[in-house]
Amino acid sequence: MSHPVIGVLALQGCVEPHRPHIEAAGAEFAAVKTPQQFDAVDAFILPGGESTTMLKLIDMYGLWDSLTRNFKTKPVWGICAGTILMAQHVTNPQQKSFGLLPISVQRNAYGRQLDSHHGMIDNYLVSFIRAPVILSPSGVGISGEAEFEILATHESAPVWVRQGPYMATTFHPELTQDFPSPMHRTFVDLVRGSAAQLVA
Amino acid sequence: MKKTKQELKSAAKTSSTVINLKVGLAEMLKGGVIMDVVTADQAKIAEDAGAVAVMALERVPSDIRAAGGVARMSPPRLIEQIMASVSIPVMAKCRIGHFAEAQVLEAIGVDYIDESEVLTPADEDYHINKHDFKVPFVCGAKNLGEALRRIGEGAALMRTKGEPGTGNIVEAVRHLRDINQHIKRITVLDDAELMTEAKNMGAPYELVKLVKEQGRLPVPNFAAGGIATPADAALCMQLGAETVFVGSGIFKSENPAAFAKAIVKATCHYSDPSMVLEACREIEGEAMRGISIDTIDAGMRMANRGW
Protein backbone atom coordinates (compact mmCIF):
# COMPACT_ATOMS: atom_id res chain seq x y z
CA MET A 1 0.00 0.00 0.00
CA SER A 2 2.14 2.86 -1.25
CA HIS A 3 -0.69 5.38 -1.36
CA PRO A 4 -3.02 4.62 1.58
CA VAL A 5 -6.33 6.42 2.07
CA ILE A 6 -6.60 8.09 5.48
CA GLY A 7 -10.20 8.69 6.56
CA VAL A 8 -10.77 11.63 8.88
CA LEU A 9 -13.98 11.17 10.90
CA ALA A 10 -16.04 14.16 9.79
CA LEU A 11 -19.06 14.24 12.09
CA GLN A 12 -17.80 17.53 13.51
CA GLY A 13 -14.50 19.24 14.27
CA CYS A 14 -11.15 20.02 12.71
CA VAL A 15 -11.20 17.93 9.52
CA GLU A 16 -10.05 19.85 6.45
CA PRO A 17 -6.70 21.11 7.92
CA HIS A 18 -5.46 17.49 7.78
CA ARG A 19 -5.67 17.35 4.00
CA PRO A 20 -2.39 19.14 3.13
CA HIS A 21 -0.47 17.21 5.83
CA ILE A 22 -1.77 13.84 4.66
CA GLU A 23 -1.10 14.65 1.02
CA ALA A 24 2.42 15.94 1.78
CA ALA A 25 3.11 12.67 3.62
CA GLY A 26 2.21 10.79 0.44
CA ALA A 27 -1.24 9.50 1.33
CA GLU A 28 -4.80 10.33 0.27
CA PHE A 29 -7.26 12.34 2.40
CA ALA A 30 -10.93 11.40 2.77
CA ALA A 31 -13.58 12.93 5.04
CA VAL A 32 -15.77 10.06 6.28
CA LYS A 33 -19.10 9.98 8.11
CA THR A 34 -21.01 6.85 6.99
CA PRO A 35 -20.36 3.07 7.44
CA GLN A 36 -19.83 2.69 3.67
CA GLN A 37 -17.14 5.37 3.78
CA PHE A 38 -15.54 3.80 6.89
CA ASP A 39 -15.18 0.46 5.11
CA ALA A 40 -13.47 2.11 2.13
CA VAL A 41 -10.48 3.68 3.92
CA ASP A 42 -7.17 2.15 5.11
CA ALA A 43 -6.80 4.06 8.39
CA PHE A 44 -8.58 6.61 10.57
CA ILE A 45 -7.88 9.95 12.14
CA LEU A 46 -10.27 10.86 14.97
CA PRO A 47 -9.85 14.63 14.78
CA GLY A 48 -9.96 17.44 17.28
CA GLY A 49 -13.38 18.81 18.15
CA GLU A 50 -15.75 18.21 21.03
CA SER A 51 -15.54 14.61 22.26
CA THR A 52 -18.94 14.80 23.99
CA THR A 53 -20.55 15.92 20.74
CA MET A 54 -18.80 13.28 18.64
CA LEU A 55 -19.89 10.51 21.06
CA LYS A 56 -23.50 11.67 20.95
CA LEU A 57 -23.44 11.76 17.15
CA ILE A 58 -21.81 8.31 16.90
CA ASP A 59 -24.61 6.96 19.10
CA MET A 60 -27.45 8.88 17.47
CA TYR A 61 -26.42 7.90 13.94
CA GLY A 62 -25.77 4.25 14.92
CA LEU A 63 -22.08 4.29 13.94
CA TRP A 64 -20.61 2.61 17.02
CA ASP A 65 -20.54 -0.98 15.68
CA SER A 66 -19.23 -0.08 12.26
CA LEU A 67 -16.41 2.02 13.77
CA THR A 68 -15.50 -0.68 16.33
CA ARG A 69 -15.29 -3.30 13.58
CA ASN A 70 -13.08 -1.06 11.43
CA PHE A 71 -10.83 -0.02 14.32
CA LYS A 72 -10.02 -3.70 15.01
CA THR A 73 -8.25 -4.07 11.67
CA LYS A 74 -7.02 -0.57 10.76
CA PRO A 75 -4.60 1.95 12.27
CA VAL A 76 -6.20 4.81 14.23
CA TRP A 77 -4.77 8.16 15.32
CA GLY A 78 -6.73 10.22 17.85
CA ILE A 79 -6.06 13.94 18.27
CA CYS A 80 -7.22 15.80 21.40
CA ALA A 81 -10.93 14.82 21.40
CA GLY A 82 -9.86 11.74 19.40
CA THR A 83 -7.43 10.74 22.18
CA ILE A 84 -10.38 10.85 24.57
CA LEU A 85 -12.40 8.57 22.27
CA MET A 86 -9.48 6.09 22.08
CA ALA A 87 -8.77 5.89 25.83
CA GLN A 88 -9.61 2.98 28.11
CA HIS A 89 -10.87 5.32 30.84
CA VAL A 90 -12.11 8.96 30.76
CA THR A 91 -12.74 11.44 33.59
CA ASN A 92 -14.09 15.01 33.98
CA PRO A 93 -16.76 13.91 33.28
CA GLN A 94 -16.66 10.15 32.95
CA GLN A 95 -17.82 9.11 29.49
CA LYS A 96 -17.78 6.13 27.21
CA SER A 97 -14.91 5.45 24.81
CA PHE A 98 -13.58 2.89 22.31
CA GLY A 99 -10.84 1.66 24.68
CA LEU A 100 -8.23 1.21 21.93
CA LEU A 101 -5.30 2.45 24.05
CA PRO A 102 -4.47 1.39 27.64
CA ILE A 103 -4.55 4.96 28.99
CA SER A 104 -6.61 7.01 31.39
CA VAL A 105 -7.44 10.53 30.20
CA GLN A 106 -8.72 13.60 32.03
CA ARG A 107 -10.72 15.99 29.84
CA ASN A 108 -9.94 19.75 29.79
CA ALA A 109 -7.15 19.02 32.27
CA TYR A 110 -5.26 22.27 31.66
CA GLY A 111 -8.46 24.30 32.22
CA ARG A 112 -10.71 26.18 29.81
CA GLN A 113 -9.90 28.06 26.57
CA LEU A 114 -7.91 30.70 28.52
CA ASP A 115 -5.41 27.96 29.34
CA SER A 116 -4.89 26.86 25.75
CA HIS A 117 -1.23 27.15 24.79
CA HIS A 118 1.48 26.35 22.26
CA GLY A 119 4.18 23.74 22.75
CA MET A 120 7.28 22.46 20.97
CA ILE A 121 7.10 18.72 20.21
CA ASP A 122 9.79 17.03 18.13
CA ASN A 123 11.01 20.51 17.09
CA TYR A 124 7.58 21.30 15.69
CA LEU A 125 5.29 24.04 17.01
CA VAL A 126 1.93 22.57 18.06
CA SER A 127 -1.26 23.79 19.78
CA PHE A 128 -2.88 22.49 22.97
CA ILE A 129 -6.53 23.64 22.81
CA ARG A 130 -8.75 22.81 25.79
CA ALA A 131 -6.53 19.74 25.78
CA PRO A 132 -6.89 16.53 27.78
CA VAL A 133 -4.05 15.02 29.82
CA ILE A 134 -3.01 11.38 29.72
CA LEU A 135 -2.98 10.64 33.45
CA SER A 136 -1.80 7.08 33.74
CA PRO A 137 -1.70 3.69 32.12
CA SER A 138 -5.09 2.02 32.47
CA GLY A 139 -6.08 -1.52 31.55
CA VAL A 140 -4.78 -3.30 28.50
CA GLY A 141 -6.37 -1.64 25.45
CA ILE A 142 -7.88 -3.54 22.56
CA SER A 143 -4.65 -5.45 21.86
CA GLY A 144 -4.55 -7.06 25.31
CA GLU A 145 -1.17 -5.41 25.98
CA ALA A 146 -0.67 -2.95 28.83
CA GLU A 147 2.66 -1.59 27.55
CA PHE A 148 2.64 1.49 25.34
CA GLU A 149 5.31 3.69 23.88
CA ILE A 150 5.64 7.36 24.93
CA LEU A 151 6.87 9.31 21.89
CA ALA A 152 6.81 12.74 23.58
CA THR A 153 6.06 14.38 26.91
CA HIS A 154 5.06 17.95 27.77
CA GLU A 155 5.04 19.41 31.28
CA SER A 156 6.03 15.90 32.45
CA ALA A 157 2.89 14.18 31.08
CA PRO A 158 2.86 11.94 28.00
CA VAL A 159 1.30 13.82 25.06
CA TRP A 160 2.15 11.52 22.14
CA VAL A 161 1.72 7.78 22.68
CA ARG A 162 1.54 4.69 20.55
CA GLN A 163 0.73 1.02 20.88
CA GLY A 164 0.91 -1.07 17.72
CA PRO A 165 -1.39 0.47 15.09
CA TYR A 166 -2.91 2.97 17.55
CA MET A 167 -1.48 6.43 18.13
CA ALA A 168 -2.71 9.43 20.10
CA THR A 169 -1.66 13.06 20.51
CA THR A 170 -3.29 15.42 23.00
CA PHE A 171 -2.12 18.41 20.91
CA HIS A 172 -2.90 19.65 17.40
CA PRO A 173 -0.15 19.40 14.80
CA GLU A 174 -2.64 19.97 11.94
CA LEU A 175 -3.07 23.67 12.74
CA THR A 176 0.59 24.34 11.89
CA GLN A 177 1.03 25.07 8.20
CA ASP A 178 4.38 23.44 7.62
CA PHE A 179 3.59 20.24 5.72
CA PRO A 180 3.71 17.43 6.66
CA SER A 181 3.97 17.50 10.46
CA PRO A 182 6.28 14.87 12.02
CA MET A 183 3.16 13.27 13.50
CA HIS A 184 1.42 12.94 10.12
CA ARG A 185 4.63 11.49 8.66
CA THR A 186 4.89 8.98 11.53
CA PHE A 187 1.25 7.96 11.14
CA VAL A 188 1.40 7.48 7.38
CA ASP A 189 4.59 5.36 7.88
CA LEU A 190 2.74 3.38 10.52
CA VAL A 191 -0.18 2.80 8.11
CA ARG A 192 2.22 1.56 5.41
CA GLY A 193 4.04 -0.64 7.95
CA SER A 194 0.91 -2.22 9.36
CA ALA A 195 -0.29 -3.03 5.83
CA ALA A 196 3.06 -4.70 5.12
CA GLN A 197 2.64 -6.76 8.31
CA LEU A 198 -0.86 -7.82 7.35
CA VAL A 199 0.39 -8.97 3.95
CA ALA A 200 3.30 -10.86 5.59
CA MET B 1 15.45 21.22 24.35
CA LYS B 2 12.76 22.53 26.68
CA LYS B 3 11.65 26.04 25.69
CA THR B 4 10.50 28.66 28.14
CA LYS B 5 7.00 30.12 27.85
CA GLN B 6 8.53 33.36 26.56
CA GLU B 7 10.46 31.57 23.81
CA LEU B 8 7.33 29.67 22.78
CA LYS B 9 5.32 32.85 22.69
CA SER B 10 7.83 34.54 20.42
CA ALA B 11 8.07 31.42 18.26
CA ALA B 12 4.29 31.42 17.90
CA LYS B 13 4.23 35.13 17.16
CA THR B 14 6.97 35.13 14.56
CA SER B 15 5.80 31.94 12.91
CA SER B 16 3.17 32.74 10.30
CA THR B 17 2.81 29.01 9.88
CA VAL B 18 0.85 28.29 13.03
CA ILE B 19 -2.82 29.18 13.44
CA ASN B 20 -3.31 31.18 16.61
CA LEU B 21 -5.01 29.49 19.54
CA LYS B 22 -8.07 31.71 19.35
CA VAL B 23 -8.79 30.66 15.76
CA GLY B 24 -7.80 27.10 16.76
CA LEU B 25 -10.81 26.73 19.04
CA ALA B 26 -13.09 27.95 16.22
CA GLU B 27 -11.61 25.19 14.03
CA MET B 28 -12.71 22.63 16.65
CA LEU B 29 -16.31 23.89 16.52
CA LYS B 30 -16.66 23.43 12.76
CA GLY B 31 -19.49 21.37 11.33
CA GLY B 32 -21.52 21.79 14.49
CA VAL B 33 -24.35 23.76 16.05
CA ILE B 34 -23.96 26.41 18.77
CA MET B 35 -27.18 26.89 20.71
CA ASP B 36 -28.52 29.84 22.72
CA VAL B 37 -29.55 28.74 26.21
CA VAL B 38 -30.95 30.69 29.17
CA THR B 39 -30.76 28.05 31.94
CA ALA B 40 -28.46 25.19 33.01
CA ASP B 41 -31.27 22.75 32.12
CA GLN B 42 -31.44 24.07 28.58
CA ALA B 43 -27.65 23.81 28.34
CA LYS B 44 -27.89 20.11 29.26
CA ILE B 45 -30.60 19.57 26.63
CA ALA B 46 -28.36 21.29 24.06
CA GLU B 47 -25.32 19.20 25.01
CA ASP B 48 -27.35 15.98 24.92
CA ALA B 49 -28.66 16.87 21.48
CA GLY B 50 -25.09 17.18 20.16
CA ALA B 51 -24.40 20.94 20.33
CA VAL B 52 -20.67 21.78 20.02
CA ALA B 53 -21.02 24.81 22.31
CA VAL B 54 -23.68 26.89 24.02
CA MET B 55 -24.24 30.64 24.21
CA ALA B 56 -25.23 31.58 27.77
CA LEU B 57 -27.93 34.27 27.71
CA GLU B 58 -30.45 35.85 30.05
CA ARG B 59 -33.05 35.96 27.28
CA VAL B 60 -33.11 34.58 23.74
CA PRO B 61 -33.16 37.23 20.99
CA SER B 62 -36.90 36.96 20.26
CA ASP B 63 -37.63 37.74 23.93
CA ILE B 64 -35.09 40.58 23.92
CA ARG B 65 -36.92 41.96 20.89
CA ALA B 66 -40.29 41.61 22.63
CA ALA B 67 -39.09 43.05 25.95
CA GLY B 68 -37.49 46.19 24.47
CA GLY B 69 -35.43 48.36 26.84
CA VAL B 70 -31.68 47.95 27.24
CA ALA B 71 -30.26 44.45 26.75
CA ARG B 72 -26.97 43.87 28.62
CA MET B 73 -24.46 41.14 29.43
CA SER B 74 -26.08 38.22 31.30
CA PRO B 75 -25.67 37.99 35.08
CA PRO B 76 -22.37 36.22 35.95
CA ARG B 77 -24.16 33.78 38.27
CA LEU B 78 -26.27 32.50 35.36
CA ILE B 79 -23.22 32.10 33.11
CA GLU B 80 -21.34 30.26 35.87
CA GLN B 81 -24.26 27.87 36.44
CA ILE B 82 -24.31 27.06 32.76
CA MET B 83 -20.52 26.58 32.70
CA ALA B 84 -20.78 24.16 35.62
CA SER B 85 -23.52 22.13 33.97
CA VAL B 86 -21.86 21.17 30.65
CA SER B 87 -18.42 20.07 29.43
CA ILE B 88 -18.66 21.69 25.96
CA PRO B 89 -17.39 25.28 25.49
CA VAL B 90 -19.54 28.11 26.82
CA MET B 91 -19.82 31.47 25.05
CA ALA B 92 -21.38 34.68 26.34
CA LYS B 93 -22.33 38.03 24.81
CA CYS B 94 -21.19 41.53 25.67
CA ARG B 95 -22.47 44.80 24.20
CA ILE B 96 -20.69 46.28 21.18
CA GLY B 97 -17.84 48.45 22.49
CA HIS B 98 -18.39 47.47 26.13
CA PHE B 99 -14.87 46.32 26.95
CA ALA B 100 -15.57 46.30 30.70
CA GLU B 101 -18.33 43.70 30.21
CA ALA B 102 -15.82 41.72 28.12
CA GLN B 103 -13.26 41.96 30.95
CA VAL B 104 -15.85 40.55 33.36
CA LEU B 105 -16.63 37.68 30.97
CA GLU B 106 -12.92 36.94 30.61
CA ALA B 107 -12.57 36.94 34.41
CA ILE B 108 -15.45 34.44 34.65
CA GLY B 109 -13.48 32.24 32.27
CA VAL B 110 -15.93 31.85 29.36
CA ASP B 111 -14.44 30.14 26.29
CA TYR B 112 -15.59 32.70 23.70
CA ILE B 113 -17.07 36.22 23.83
CA ASP B 114 -19.64 37.38 21.26
CA GLU B 115 -19.46 41.16 20.85
CA SER B 116 -23.06 41.17 19.77
CA GLU B 117 -25.58 43.44 18.10
CA VAL B 118 -28.31 41.44 19.86
CA LEU B 119 -27.51 43.48 22.98
CA THR B 120 -27.92 47.25 23.06
CA PRO B 121 -24.66 48.85 21.82
CA ALA B 122 -22.56 50.63 24.46
CA ASP B 123 -20.41 52.59 21.99
CA GLU B 124 -21.66 53.93 18.66
CA ASP B 125 -18.18 54.65 17.28
CA TYR B 126 -15.77 52.01 18.52
CA HIS B 127 -15.83 48.26 18.76
CA ILE B 128 -13.68 46.52 21.39
CA ASN B 129 -9.94 46.18 20.75
CA LYS B 130 -10.04 42.42 20.92
CA HIS B 131 -6.24 42.09 20.74
CA ASP B 132 -6.21 43.19 24.39
CA PHE B 133 -7.86 39.94 25.45
CA LYS B 134 -6.65 36.38 25.78
CA VAL B 135 -10.16 35.00 25.39
CA PRO B 136 -11.22 34.75 21.72
CA PHE B 137 -14.02 36.89 20.24
CA VAL B 138 -16.70 36.20 17.65
CA CYS B 139 -18.29 39.17 15.86
CA GLY B 140 -21.06 39.61 13.31
CA ALA B 141 -20.63 40.98 9.78
CA LYS B 142 -23.04 41.83 6.97
CA ASN B 143 -20.30 42.12 4.36
CA LEU B 144 -16.61 41.53 3.76
CA GLY B 145 -15.48 45.04 4.75
CA GLU B 146 -17.18 44.72 8.13
CA ALA B 147 -15.73 41.22 8.62
CA LEU B 148 -12.18 42.40 7.90
CA ARG B 149 -12.56 45.41 10.21
CA ARG B 150 -13.55 43.09 13.06
CA ILE B 151 -10.70 40.68 12.24
CA GLY B 152 -8.37 43.70 12.18
CA GLU B 153 -9.53 44.45 15.74
CA GLY B 154 -8.70 40.89 16.74
CA ALA B 155 -11.87 38.81 16.20
CA ALA B 156 -10.96 35.12 15.79
CA LEU B 157 -14.28 34.03 14.34
CA MET B 158 -16.93 35.72 12.22
CA ARG B 159 -20.64 35.06 11.89
CA THR B 160 -23.37 36.52 9.75
CA LYS B 161 -25.60 39.21 11.23
CA GLY B 162 -28.87 37.60 10.24
CA GLU B 163 -31.78 39.37 11.92
CA PRO B 164 -31.93 37.65 15.34
CA GLY B 165 -35.14 36.48 16.95
CA THR B 166 -37.11 36.56 13.70
CA GLY B 167 -36.93 32.93 12.52
CA ASN B 168 -36.30 34.51 9.09
CA ILE B 169 -33.21 33.30 7.23
CA VAL B 170 -33.20 35.94 4.48
CA GLU B 171 -30.64 38.28 6.06
CA ALA B 172 -28.13 35.54 6.97
CA VAL B 173 -28.35 34.29 3.38
CA ARG B 174 -27.76 37.81 2.07
CA HIS B 175 -24.63 38.17 4.23
CA LEU B 176 -23.20 34.76 3.30
CA ARG B 177 -23.70 35.39 -0.41
CA ASP B 178 -22.35 38.92 -0.20
CA ILE B 179 -19.17 37.90 1.61
CA ASN B 180 -18.50 34.92 -0.66
CA GLN B 181 -19.11 36.88 -3.87
CA HIS B 182 -16.82 39.67 -2.68
CA ILE B 183 -14.04 37.21 -1.80
CA LYS B 184 -14.27 35.74 -5.32
CA ARG B 185 -14.03 39.21 -6.88
CA ILE B 186 -10.94 40.04 -4.81
CA THR B 187 -9.11 36.90 -5.91
CA VAL B 188 -9.13 38.14 -9.52
CA LEU B 189 -8.03 41.70 -8.77
CA ASP B 190 -4.63 42.92 -9.91
CA ASP B 191 -2.24 43.64 -7.01
CA ALA B 192 -2.28 47.30 -8.02
CA GLU B 193 -6.04 47.39 -7.46
CA LEU B 194 -5.94 46.10 -3.88
CA MET B 195 -5.30 49.39 -2.08
CA THR B 196 -8.25 51.08 -3.75
CA GLU B 197 -10.38 48.06 -2.95
CA ALA B 198 -9.26 48.26 0.69
CA LYS B 199 -10.09 51.97 0.75
CA ASN B 200 -13.53 51.46 -0.82
CA MET B 201 -14.52 48.70 1.55
CA GLY B 202 -12.95 50.35 4.60
CA ALA B 203 -10.85 47.29 5.42
CA PRO B 204 -7.19 46.88 6.44
CA TYR B 205 -5.00 46.53 3.30
CA GLU B 206 -2.97 43.61 4.72
CA LEU B 207 -6.15 41.60 5.30
CA VAL B 208 -7.49 42.36 1.80
CA LYS B 209 -4.18 41.10 0.44
CA LEU B 210 -4.49 37.95 2.55
CA VAL B 211 -8.01 37.33 1.23
CA LYS B 212 -6.66 37.59 -2.33
CA GLU B 213 -3.84 35.12 -1.58
CA GLN B 214 -5.97 32.56 0.26
CA GLY B 215 -9.33 32.99 -1.47
CA ARG B 216 -11.14 32.85 1.86
CA LEU B 217 -11.66 34.77 5.10
CA PRO B 218 -8.61 34.60 7.40
CA VAL B 219 -10.82 33.11 10.15
CA PRO B 220 -13.81 30.71 10.02
CA ASN B 221 -17.23 32.13 9.14
CA PHE B 222 -20.34 30.74 10.84
CA ALA B 223 -24.02 31.45 10.13
CA ALA B 224 -26.20 33.19 12.70
CA GLY B 225 -29.55 34.90 12.83
CA GLY B 226 -32.93 33.53 11.78
CA ILE B 227 -32.10 29.82 11.50
CA ALA B 228 -35.37 28.08 12.46
CA THR B 229 -35.49 24.73 10.62
CA PRO B 230 -33.12 21.87 9.68
CA ALA B 231 -33.37 22.98 6.05
CA ASP B 232 -32.30 26.51 7.08
CA ALA B 233 -29.16 25.01 8.65
CA ALA B 234 -28.45 22.91 5.54
CA LEU B 235 -28.93 25.98 3.34
CA CYS B 236 -26.39 28.03 5.31
CA MET B 237 -23.86 25.19 5.31
CA GLN B 238 -24.20 24.75 1.55
CA LEU B 239 -23.70 28.48 1.12
CA GLY B 240 -20.32 28.13 2.83
CA ALA B 241 -21.03 28.63 6.54
CA GLU B 242 -18.82 26.31 8.59
CA THR B 243 -21.06 25.98 11.66
CA VAL B 244 -24.44 27.41 12.62
CA PHE B 245 -25.59 29.38 15.62
CA VAL B 246 -29.23 28.76 16.52
CA GLY B 247 -30.83 31.25 18.87
CA SER B 248 -34.53 31.48 19.48
CA GLY B 249 -35.26 28.67 16.98
CA ILE B 250 -34.69 25.78 19.38
CA PHE B 251 -36.11 26.74 22.73
CA LYS B 252 -39.03 28.65 21.17
CA SER B 253 -40.10 25.52 19.28
CA GLU B 254 -42.67 23.07 20.68
CA ASN B 255 -40.23 20.21 21.38
CA PRO B 256 -36.74 21.68 21.95
CA ALA B 257 -34.86 18.37 22.44
CA ALA B 258 -36.14 16.84 19.18
CA PHE B 259 -35.72 20.14 17.39
CA ALA B 260 -32.12 20.52 18.57
CA LYS B 261 -31.22 17.00 17.44
CA ALA B 262 -32.80 17.59 14.06
CA ILE B 263 -30.82 20.80 13.50
CA VAL B 264 -27.59 19.01 14.48
CA LYS B 265 -28.31 16.17 12.05
CA ALA B 266 -29.08 18.53 9.17
CA THR B 267 -25.87 20.48 9.86
CA CYS B 268 -23.69 17.37 10.03
CA HIS B 269 -25.20 15.86 6.86
CA TYR B 270 -26.01 19.12 5.07
CA SER B 271 -24.95 17.84 1.65
CA ASP B 272 -27.14 14.72 1.84
CA PRO B 273 -30.81 15.65 1.20
CA SER B 274 -32.07 12.25 2.43
CA MET B 275 -30.50 12.93 5.85
CA VAL B 276 -31.89 16.48 5.92
CA LEU B 277 -35.30 14.99 5.09
CA GLU B 278 -34.89 12.56 8.01
CA ALA B 279 -34.05 15.52 10.24
CA CYS B 280 -37.19 17.36 9.08
CA ARG B 281 -39.29 14.28 9.85
CA GLU B 282 -37.95 14.01 13.40
CA ILE B 283 -39.54 17.28 14.40
CA GLU B 284 -42.86 17.09 16.12
CA GLY B 285 -44.65 20.38 16.46
CA GLU B 286 -44.11 23.65 14.72
CA ALA B 287 -41.04 25.80 14.24
CA MET B 288 -41.11 29.27 15.76
CA ARG B 289 -43.64 31.55 14.13
CA GLY B 290 -41.22 34.03 12.54
CA ILE B 291 -41.31 37.70 11.54
CA SER B 292 -41.03 39.28 8.10
CA ILE B 293 -38.03 41.64 8.03
CA ASP B 294 -39.89 44.53 6.35
CA THR B 295 -42.35 44.70 9.25
CA ILE B 296 -39.50 45.58 11.64
CA ASP B 297 -38.79 49.28 12.11
CA ALA B 298 -35.34 50.27 10.86
CA GLY B 299 -34.45 51.28 14.42
CA MET B 300 -35.20 47.78 15.67
CA ARG B 301 -33.10 45.99 13.05
CA MET B 302 -30.19 44.62 15.02
CA ALA B 303 -27.98 44.08 11.97
CA ASN B 304 -27.66 47.87 11.65
CA ARG B 305 -25.92 48.07 15.01
CA GLY B 306 -22.12 48.31 14.74
CA TRP B 307 -20.39 49.36 11.50
Side-chain angles (χ1 to χ4, degrees), chain B residues 36-59:
Chain B
D36 279 359
V37 297
V38 299
T39 63
D41 287 343
Q42 287 188 354
K44 281 306 288 177
I45 292 172
E47 183 175 60
D48 286 341
V52 287
V54 291
M55 178 75 71
L57 287 171
E58 194 176 14
R59 282 183 294 224

Side-chain angles (χ1 to χ4, degrees), chain B residues 108-130:
Chain B
I108 294 173
V110 300
D111 297 294
Y112 242 97
I113 295 176
D114 186 359
E115 186 184 15
S116 177
E117 70 280 4
V118 169
L119 305 183
T120 311
D123 193 321
E124 293 185 338
D125 295 318
Y126 304 106
H127 284 253
I128 296 172
N129 177 19
K130 292 162 275 286

Side-chain angles (χ1 to χ4, degrees), chain A residues 7-198:
Chain A
V8 183
L9 186 66
L11 295 174
Q12 177 276 317
C14 189
V15 176
E16 199 57 34
H18 285 286
R19 183 192 294 273
H21 288 283
I22 289 172
E23 289 173 358
E28 192 179 322
F29 166 95
V32 294
K33 49 180 134 181
T34 65
Q36 293 80 353
Q37 292 168 337
F38 300 156
D39 290 343
V41 298
D42 300 308
F44 291 89
I45 289 179
L46 306 181
E50 289 303 318
S51 66
T52 323
T53 308
M54 287 186 207
L55 273 178
K56 305 262 181 215
L57 299 186
I58 288 168
D59 268 344
M60 276 190 244
Y61 307 153
L63 304 175
W64 191 268
D65 292 345
S66 159
L67 284 172
T68 306
R69 183 168 43 74
N70 272 282
F71 292 166
K72 278 186 185 150
T73 56
K74 295 173 185 176
V76 184
W77 171 16
I79 296 167
C80 192
T83 300
I84 300 168
L85 296 184
M86 289 179 79
Q88 185 71 241
H89 185 74
V90 181
T91 58
N92 188 31
Q94 208 169 335
Q95 62 188 32
K96 120 175 167 178
S97 54
F98 285 95
L100 303 179
L101 281 167
I103 52 172
S104 173
V105 169
Q106 184 188 338
R107 295 189 51 204
N108 297 333
Y110 296 97
R112 302 189 71 99
Q113 169 62 13
L114 283 169
D115 306 290
S116 291
H117 58 283
H118 288 294
M120 214 37 141
I121 306 291
D122 204 5
N123 268 321
Y124 193 80
L125 192 65
V126 300
S127 313
F128 291 84
I129 297 174
R130 283 172 50 97
V133 165
I134 298 173
L135 289 177
S136 58
S138 173
V140 292
I142 197 173
S143 67
E145 294 282 325
E147 290 288 307
F148 62 91
E149 214 180 325
I150 296 174
L151 301 176
T153 58
H154 172 75
E155 295 178 357
S156 70
V159 292
W160 182 8
V161 300
R162 178 192 162 169
Q163 185 194 60
Y166 307 119
M167 181 172 118
T169 59
T170 60
F171 54 84
H172 298 273
E174 76 280 7
L175 297 178
T176 307
Q177 300 184 7
D178 184 0
F179 313 118
S181 79
M183 297 81 203
H184 285 86
R185 202 180 308 120
T186 302
F187 187 63
V188 170
D189 285 348
L190 186 158
V191 174
R192 290 202 184 99
S194 83
Q197 275 172 13
L198 285 176

Side-chain angles (χ1 to χ4, degrees), chain B residues 85-119:
Chain B
S85 70
V86 293
S87 67
I88 52 179
V90 175
M91 305 183 170
K93 289 183 196 290
C94 71
R95 285 179 261 177
I96 290 175
H98 206 316
F99 55 86
E101 280 187 349
Q103 288 162 351
V104 171
L105 292 174
E106 182 170 62
I108 294 173
V110 300
D111 297 294
Y112 242 97
I113 295 176
D114 186 359
E115 186 184 15
S116 177
E117 70 280 4
V118 169
L119 305 183

Side-chain angles (χ1 to χ4, degrees), chain B residues 236-301:
Chain B
C236 291
M237 293 296 283
Q238 289 186 54
L239 287 173
E242 295 168 297
T243 281
V244 298
F245 283 89
V246 185
S248 321
I250 292 171
F251 289 99
K252 285 288 164 190
S253 68
E254 284 180 20
N255 183 344
F259 205 88
K261 279 185 192 160
I263 296 259
V264 169
K265 182 179 262 187
T267 305
C268 178
H269 295 283
Y270 68 90
S271 56
D272 180 350
S274 66
M275 292 294 276
V276 179
L277 167 64
E278 245 180 58
C280 295
R281 283 193 175 130
E282 281 166 15
I283 298 174
E284 308 148 35
E286 279 184 38
M288 67 183 285
R289 172 102 168 69
I291 303 172
S292 172
I293 304 296
D294 50 22
T295 63
I296 304 171
D297 287 343
M300 282 305 289
R301 289 190 198 166

